[in-house]
Structure formats: structure tokens, C-alpha cells
């Protein structure tokens, strides 16, 4: 039997082989393999846990090797693997107590001195990495069992203490395998609804759009944004309902597919944010960092290259309220992930790449005081301060935002989230069947292939492109927006009306605040 554990670093991490050799000499425990402080301390935890679990600790000198030798080993997840490796080495020549499992096995868990096993982070990533390496069995803490069973080929044993974990080495039938993933993360205890073949989480009353009154244009823009995962910025005077509307946007998004949920769950497992007992995160994440957020907090970093806000919002939403109050460097950092859907973090000669395919929502005031263009209140800002205020966003960043909408209060009837979801479900189902991605993420080649324009729509786009001096990216954004609007109608061809609405949502006459 060959025992492996896992050293988390960034999104990938690495498998670590745990070997034990018992030799003559003064009784002691030696460890080699570039272990950090937490891993070295596992020698004492492991020794006490073995004795307090009713086992005899080897009287020989114990050498523990963690390989590859040049990879730094971090965290307390090695405790259980080391303890089982020691017990296996002790009984290697005993036919009665020799473990029956003779293949590779992944083992993770932190030991208490009593022998109980604590949950560890990064189990989802460890299991995925183990499967890629041909390892099909693993022993993890009981609290991590549901997380580990997310894969359809892994056999898992959830151990509560060291004695249980050691017993599992003799009984292959104790290892369980999850067979049904069709509704993984959406079991009978969770409430969800099926609309046109697309699953949605049950609408929470506090997030229902039925309470949003007088924002018909913004609500329509958010519905289109949800239908194709388009980035959006809204601007308006304080108190008009920008933040309230965008905070309820998450109620419009469907549940993640199994493929989307895998990467989201892995990122949250690495960050230690996976809810206990959850195997997959099927609900889109909604992240709303504060304006004081740093570049490291947004993109990730630290000694272990932990994920930042943009990775934690992967396949979900990143909402920046009062966006102009964020540091300029933080806002400009968003440009590359928005384009590539990933972010690479480099630290001390090592690098890792996190998925970062997030939907960006921005809400901002028209000026520092918030009343530029207001008919009821007086703006106290100078023209230069208003211009400087909007320069924080920069043209390249705004060019990556498909929808720009002014939040204005009109007398209009409110619409519930359930009603808005009907068109979103239709568009989502069509996009998943047609291209297996949302319209906002279409490549230039895919735009030409899937965005089929009628002759009138093509002429309108050509005319408006010249009139508004659209860039190539802006022109492509109009096509993708109109494709989403047509999908919501159930049409395979983009008509003139679809293109007209898309252009109204996308047009930019130099600077957004000039619309006031």
C-alpha cells in the first residue's frame, strides 16, 4: 500500500507520498521532505493520538519521508496520513495485522491528541488531483466526506477517529462511492424550482424584485444581464434604488451546472469557505467586497496563493457598490480577468492559475456629491472633479462592460423575480444547448457563427456603429446583447428590435455621466 496526502498551494496543489522506515537507534521521530512548522509538529500529535487510540507506538527510530523532497509541505492535513503510515510500517511483517488494501490511497486529516480527526480544507482539490493521478480510494475526516464524494469514480471512507481510519485499511467494503450526481447539492432538503428545464433556487422573500418599484428600465437591464451573464454598470443619484436592485440580482440566476459547480466548489474548499456537509455548491456566489479592498484581497495572494474575491465569485457575481470609491489600481486590475476568465498569481518562484469567469456589476453616483444632473438638488462639484471622478474607471475597463443604464425612478409596476425568471430560463436553456456557455463569453469566431442578424438588424448596427464610434469590442457586445434578447424571445434570428434595444443598453457618448 502506498499512502499519499496533499499539499495545498493555489488552485492546483500537489500530491505528497508519505513513507515510513523503522530502523535501529535511539527511539525518536525524524522527518525529512521540506516540512513547515505545522507539519513538523504533527510528530507529537501523531505520537499521542496513536497511544491514546489504544495502539503501541513503535519502539524503533522512526523516519518519515515526504516526497517530492523539493516541494514545501504546509498545513495540518498530513497528520492522519503519517499516523497510518507509521502503523502500517509497524505491522508490515505481521500477516494478522497487515492492511489488506495494496493499492494507492489518498489520506487527509488533522489529529487531536485523543485520536479524533478534525476537518481540513482543500479536500475537493485533493480528490480531483488524486483521480487525475489514478488514485481511486481515499480516507478523509467524516466532516469532509460529502465534499470528497463529489467525484463519480472515487471511493471514500469518512473517519471520525484514528481507530476507524486504521480499520478501514482492512475492509474495502467500508469505502462508499456516490452514484447519482444529477441533483447533487440540490437534495430533497433544498428548495428549488424547475422553469423550462432550468433549475433555479427558491426565491427568498428578502431578494424578490416584487419590492422594486419605479425602476422598470434597470430591472429590464438586469434581466437581460442575467440571461446572458453580461457585465453591467448603473449610475444615478443617491437613494434612487441602484444598490437595492443589484443586491437582488442573485435571485435571477439559475443553479450552476455540475461542470460549473465543480470548479466553484474547489475554490471555496481551498479557501476554507465550503459549508460543512456540502459536497457541491450549486447556487451562484454573490460577492460584495468593501471599497477598502486591496489588490491582494481582490485577486488573491499570500504565502499559499489563496483565492481572492474575483475567484470566489467564479461562475457568479462580483458586485462593487460605490464603485468609484475603490482604488484605481483595484478597478484596473479587473480588466485582464474579465477578458481571459482566469487569473495567474505568482509568489516566490511558484505560480498558480485560478478560474475567474465572473459577472461584474457596478453601481456608482454621477459625481462625488451624487447630485449631478438632479432636478431637485444642487450639485456642488466642479466640472473637473466630476471628470476626475469618472476617469477612475478608464476607457478600457468601461469597454468591457456591455450594459450601461441610468437608474431613474418612474411610475411603473413592479415585477416579481419568478416572472423575470421565465425569459431568463428560456435564454439559459437555449445557450446551454447551442454553445454550452453564456453569450457574454462568446469568442469573436463564435459571435460570427451564432449571432445571426436579419438584414435590417445588420444595417442598423452598421449605422449606429458609425454614429456612436463603437470600437470592435463594443460592436461585438451589441451582437452578443441582441443575441441574448432574441434568445429570451425564443427567436433564432436577431431582429431589428433586438438590436435596437441592445444598442440603447450599450451606447456610450464619450462618458457615462454626459447622459444626465
Amino acid at each position: 500500500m502506498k499512502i499519499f496526502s496533499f499539499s495545498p498551494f493555489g488552485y492546483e496543489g500537489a500530491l505528497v507520498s508519505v513513507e515510513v522506515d523503522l530502523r535501529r537507534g535511539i527511539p525518536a521521530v525524524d522527518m525529512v521532505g521540506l516540512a513547515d512548522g505545522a507539519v513538523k509538529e504533527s510528530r507529537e500529535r501523531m505520537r499521542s493520538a496513536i497511544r491514546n487510540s489504544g495502539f503501541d507506538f513503535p519502539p524503533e527510530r522512526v523516519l518519515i519521508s515526504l516526497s517530492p523532497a523539493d516541494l514545501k509541505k504546509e498545513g495540518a492535513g498530513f497528520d492522519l496520513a503519517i499516523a497510518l503510515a507509521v502503523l502500517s510500517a509497524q505491522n508490515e511483517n505481521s500477516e494478522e495485522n497487515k492492511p489488506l488494501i495494496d493499492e494507492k490511497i489518498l489520506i487527509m486529516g488533522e489529529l487531536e491528541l485523543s485520536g479524533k480527526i478534525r476537518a481540513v480544507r482543500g479536500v475537493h482539490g485533493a480528490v480531483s488531483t488524486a483521480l487525475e493521478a489514478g488514485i481511486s480510494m481515499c480516507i478523509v475526516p467524516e466532516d469532509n466526506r460529502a465534499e470528497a464524494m463529489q467525484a463519480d469514480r472515487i471511493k471514500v471512507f469518512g473517519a471520525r477517529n484514528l481507530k476507524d481510519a486504521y480499520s478501514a485499511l482492512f475492509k474495502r467494503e467500508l469505502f462508499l462511492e456516490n452514484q447519482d450526481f444529477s441533483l447533487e447539492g440540490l437534495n430533497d432538503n433544498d428548495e428549488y424550482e424547475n422553469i423550462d428545464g432550468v433549475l433555479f433556487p427558491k426565491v427568498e422573500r428578502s431578494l424578490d424584485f416584487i419590492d422594486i418599484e419605479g425602476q422598470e428600465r434597470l430591472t429590464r437591464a438586469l434581466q437581460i444581464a442575467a440571461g446572458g451573464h453580461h457585465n453591467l454598470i448603473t449610475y444615478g443619484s443617491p437613494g434612487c434604488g441602484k444598490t437595492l436592485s443589484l443586491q437582488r440580482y442573485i435571485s435571477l440566476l439559475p443553479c450552476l451546472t455540475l461542470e460549473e459547480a465543480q470548479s466553484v466548489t474547489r475554490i471555496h474548499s481551498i479557501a476554507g469557505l465550503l459549508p460543512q456537509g456540502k459536497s457541491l455548491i450549486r447556487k451562484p456566489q454573490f460577492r460584495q467586497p468593501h471599497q477598502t479592498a486591496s489588490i491582494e484581497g481582490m485577486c488573491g495572494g499570500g504565502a499559499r496563493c489563496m483565492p481572492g474575491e474575483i475567484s470566489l465569485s467564479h461562475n457568479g457575481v462580483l458586485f462593487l457598490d460605490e464603485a468609484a470609491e475603490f482604488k484605481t489600481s483595484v478597478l484596473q486590475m479587473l480588466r485582464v480577468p474579465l477578458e481571459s476568465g482566469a487569473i495567474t498569481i505568482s509568489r516566490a518562484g511558484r505560480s498558480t492559475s485560478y478560474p475567474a469567469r465572473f459577472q461584474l456589476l457596478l453601481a456608482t453616483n454621477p459625481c462625488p456629491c451624487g447630485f449631478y444632473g438632479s432636478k431637485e438638488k444642487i450639485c456642488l462639484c466642479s466640472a473637473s472633479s466630476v471628470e476626475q471622478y469618472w476617469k477612475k474607471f478608464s476607457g478600457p475597463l468601461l469597454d468591457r462592460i456591455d450594459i450601461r443604464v441610468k437608474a431613474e425612478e418612474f411610475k411603473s409596476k413592479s415585477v416579481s423575480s419568478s416572472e423575470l425568471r421565465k425569459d431568463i430560463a428560456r435564454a439559459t436553456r437555449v445557450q446551454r444547448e447551442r454553445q454550452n456557455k453564456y453569450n457574454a463569453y462568446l469568442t469573436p469566431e463564435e459571435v460570427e457563427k451564432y449571432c445571426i442578424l436579419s438584414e435590417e438588424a445588420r444595417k442598423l448596427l452598421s449605422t449606429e456603429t458609425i454614429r456612436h464610434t463603437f470600437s470592435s469590442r463594443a460592436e461585438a457586445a451589441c451582437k452578443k446583447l441582441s443575441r441574448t434578447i432574441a434568445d429570451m424571445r425564443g427567436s433564432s434570428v436577431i431582429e431589428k428590435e433586438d438590436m435596437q434595444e441592445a444598442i440603447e443598453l450599450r451606447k456610450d457618448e464619450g462618458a457615462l455621466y454626459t447622459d444626465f
Side-chain angles (χ1 to χ4, degrees):
M1 179 179 64
K2 192 169 182 62
I3 294 176
F4 288 87
S5 193
F6 184 75
S7 179
F9 179 85
Y11 187 70
E12 297 85 8
L15 290 176
V16 175
S17 174
V18 181
E19 300 175 291
V20 171
D21 180 53
L22 304 181
R23 49 187 179 159
R24 295 180 181 179
I26 299 174
V29 179
D30 301 318
M31 184 176 292
V32 296
L34 204 60
D36 74 346
V39 179
K40 289 179 179 178
E41 290 172 355
S42 67
R43 293 178 296 186
E44 303 305 320
R45 291 193 296 271
M46 174 266 300
R47 189 199 302 265
S48 297
I50 288 177
R51 288 174 174 167
N52 292 333
S53 297
F55 299 104
D56 294 327
F57 194 81
E60 298 93 343
R61 194 175 186 92
V62 180
L63 175 63
I64 301 170
S65 175
L66 306 177
S67 58
D70 60 345
L71 176 70
K72 188 173 182 179
K73 322 302 186 304
E74 299 174 323
F78 291 88
D79 292 6
L80 183 59
I82 292 173
L84 293 181
V86 169
L87 292 175
S88 298
Q90 185 179 23
N91 298 313
E92 185 176 8
N93 298 321
S94 171
E95 290 298 327
E96 182 179 353
N97 295 320
K98 184 178 179 180
L100 300 180
I101 297 177
D102 55 358
E103 56 191 71
K104 298 178 180 178
I105 185 170
L106 172 71
I107 301 175
M108 292 186 70
E110 178 184 349
L111 286 173
E112 296 182 4
L113 299 184
S114 62
K116 293 183 179 179
I117 301 174
R118 291 176 178 267
V120 293
R121 63 179 181 84
V123 169
H124 188 284
V127 170
S128 301
T129 305
L131 282 171
E132 294 170 1
I135 300 174
S136 60
M137 304 183 73
C138 70
I139 298 176
V140 298
E142 175 63 25
D143 291 339
N144 293 120
R145 181 172 61 85
E147 178 184 351
M149 292 183 71
Q150 55 81 28
D152 58 356
R153 302 190 314 276
I154 197 77
K155 295 180 179 179
V156 182
F157 177 77
R160 299 184 182 277
N161 52 58
L162 180 58
K163 184 174 289 187
D164 289 346
Y166 186 66
S167 299
L169 299 180
F170 297 86
K171 298 179 180 179
R172 189 184 298 268
E173 61 272 13
L174 293 178
F175 289 78
L176 303 177
E177 183 176 5
N178 197 351
Q179 301 292 339
D180 184 14
F181 297 89
S182 58
L183 291 177
E184 187 64 41
L186 293 171
N187 54 45
D188 294 336
N189 295 325
D190 295 319
E191 294 184 335
Y192 63 95
E193 58 180 333
N194 189 321
I195 303 177
D196 198 17
V198 178
L199 292 176
F200 286 83
K202 202 74 172 179
V203 179
E204 297 181 25
R205 182 63 184 84
S206 60
L207 297 176
D208 199 329
F209 269 81
I210 195 68
D211 298 325
I212 305 297
E213 297 181 359
Q215 289 292 348
E216 183 177 0
R217 188 178 179 210
L218 177 56
T219 300
R220 171 62 177 171
L222 290 172
Q223 184 188 33
I224 295 172
H229 274 220
H230 302 280
N231 301 321
L232 176 147
I233 181 171
T234 182
Y235 49 99
S237 57
C240 67
K242 307 184 301 294
T243 301
L244 184 64
S245 298
L246 267 63
Q247 285 179 334
R248 301 187 179 215
Y249 174 78
I250 193 65
S251 67
L252 301 181
L253 297 181
C255 296
L256 302 176
T257 64
L258 286 172
E259 183 180 357
E260 292 169 340
Q262 292 286 344
S263 54
V264 173
T265 305
R266 181 167 183 167
I267 292 170
H268 281 72
S269 174
I270 292 168
L273 300 177
L274 190 65
Q276 185 172 336
K278 280 283 186 182
S279 56
L280 284 178
I281 295 177
R282 293 295 300 271
K283 296 181 181 179
Q285 299 300 294
F286 186 88
R287 307 290 299 185
Q288 185 179 348
H290 191 262
Q291 293 88 343
T292 56
S294 64
I295 291 181
E296 290 75 15
M298 294 293 286
C299 70
R304 299 182 185 177
C305 283
M306 299 293 285
E309 289 292 337
I310 63 174
S311 294
L312 292 172
S313 56
H314 175 59
N315 286 332
V317 179
L318 178 64
F319 173 38
L320 304 186
D321 194 17
E322 302 294 346
E325 303 301 328
F326 282 79
K327 296 177 183 177
T328 303
S329 57
V330 171
L331 293 174
Q332 300 313 312
M333 177 273 301
L334 298 173
R335 288 157 51 180
V336 173
L338 282 174
E339 193 73 21
S340 63
I343 183 167
T344 300
I345 306 171
S346 298
R347 294 289 185 275
R350 299 181 67 183
S351 65
T352 185
S353 182
Y354 279 105
R357 182 65 74 187
F358 61 95
Q359 187 177 5
L360 180 64
L361 300 184
L362 303 177
T364 186
N365 293 322
C367 67
C369 78
F371 299 113
Y372 183 81
S374 175
K375 297 178 182 180
E376 292 81 17
K377 298 185 180 181
I378 299 175
C379 175
L380 302 176
C381 304
S382 64
S384 60
S385 66
V386 176
E387 183 179 0
Q388 192 67 29
Y389 184 79
W390 279 92
K391 276 187 175 180
K392 295 191 70 174
F393 294 106
S394 81
L397 175 61
L398 292 177
D399 206 34
R400 289 169 168 82
I401 299 176
D402 296 343
I403 300 176
R404 300 96 179 277
V405 57
K406 181 180 178 181
E408 296 179 293
E409 294 189 70
F410 299 100
K411 289 184 178 180
S412 60
K413 185 179 179 181
S414 59
V415 184
S416 68
S417 295
S418 296
E419 285 296 319
L420 295 171
R421 282 178 169 185
K422 293 178 181 179
D423 289 344
I424 295 171
R426 185 183 299 113
T428 300
R429 178 179 54 79
V430 169
Q431 291 167 62
R432 287 176 176 175
E433 293 174 354
R434 183 179 61 216
Q435 68 232 13
N436 197 29
K437 65 168 68 172
Y438 287 99
N439 289 331
Y441 309 138
L442 293 176
T443 64
E445 296 79 10
E446 291 171 333
V447 169
E448 294 302 318
K449 179 179 179 181
Y450 298 120
C451 298
I452 304 173
L453 306 179
S454 66
E455 189 60 31
E456 289 184 336
R458 191 179 302 277
K459 290 179 180 179
L460 177 63
L461 178 60
S462 178
T463 301
E464 295 297 312
T465 296
I466 298 173
R467 177 185 173 189
H468 298 291
T469 61
F470 282 157
S471 65
S472 298
R473 182 184 284 116
E475 185 178 357
C478 289
K479 292 181 179 179
K480 290 186 282 188
L481 274 173
S482 60
R483 176 70 275 169
T484 298
I485 296 169
D487 288 341
M488 293 171 69
R489 291 193 301 107
S491 173
S492 59
V493 178
I494 299 171
E495 302 294 346
K496 180 181 178 180
E497 294 75 17
D498 304 324
M499 182 59 69
Q500 183 65 55
E501 186 175 10
I503 292 171
E504 288 297 320
L505 291 171
R506 183 57 176 79
K507 69 179 181 180
D508 178 13
E509 300 175 5
L512 291 174
Y513 66 85
T514 60
D515 288 345
F516 283 83

